[in-house]
Amino acid sequence: FALSDRVRNQDVHQAIMAVNTYGPSRARLWQWYRDNYALLATRYRASMSYMGILVRLSVAEFTGAARADEVEAFFAALNTSKFQRVVDQSLEKIRSNTRWLEKDRADVAAWLASNAY
């Protein structure tokens, strides 16, 4: 739907944001991004900064070293010079999220349990 004629080019990120807000759909969103990368890169070649927005929305909320490695490997094979900073920031956020989760998972679980969540 996001790449259909019903969605203006400048509004694609709105559809992606809607999918990204639901955690379990993030893996599917990432797969969609990879599957449609060539089309996205062609569509936004005049404004590659928009590709950075799409990267951030598609991957920055992930956790896990394996996921970070997967994202890094995907972008390593591409020319991301126009939005490399966002790729780097997104990878750092994934790794930071992972470190936080590893460090504080037990404390957060205990707090949630003690507060009836």
Side-chain angles (χ1 to χ4, degrees):
F1 175 77
L3 296 177
S4 72
D5 293 338
R6 296 175 61 186
V7 178
R8 296 181 305 177
N9 283 346
Q10 68 268 26
D11 293 333
V12 168
H13 73 281
Q14 297 290 345
I16 291 173
M17 282 175 29
V19 173
N20 186 31
T21 60
Y22 182 62
S25 66
R26 289 182 185 138
R28 181 175 279 169
L29 173 59
W30 172 230
Q31 185 62 53
W32 175 89
Y33 182 89
R34 289 180 290 175
D35 291 346
N36 290 286
Y37 180 84
L39 176 62
L40 292 166
T42 299
R43 183 177 283 190
Y44 298 109
R45 71 183 171 274
S47 178
M48 290 303 276
S49 62
Y50 197 77
M51 287 294 286
I53 292 168
L54 300 179
V55 168
R56 184 175 288 116
L57 291 172
S58 298
V59 304
E61 298 305 320
F62 283 144
T63 57
R67 189 63 87 175
D69 292 345
E70 177 185 326
V71 170
E72 189 169 38
F74 175 78
F75 286 112
L78 303 170
N79 178 3
T80 59
S81 60
K82 304 275 187 191
F83 56 96
Q84 185 61 46
R85 183 176 186 152
V86 176
V87 172
D88 293 341
Q89 290 170 338
S90 296
L91 286 166
E92 177 56 32
K93 186 167 184 195
I94 295 168
R95 292 179 174 123
S96 177
N97 289 345
T98 302
R99 285 189 301 273
W100 177 82
L101 188 60
E102 289 169 352
K103 178 180 165 277
D104 294 327
R105 178 188 307 239
D107 291 340
V108 171
W111 185 89
L112 290 171
S114 69
N115 289 282
Y117 282 98

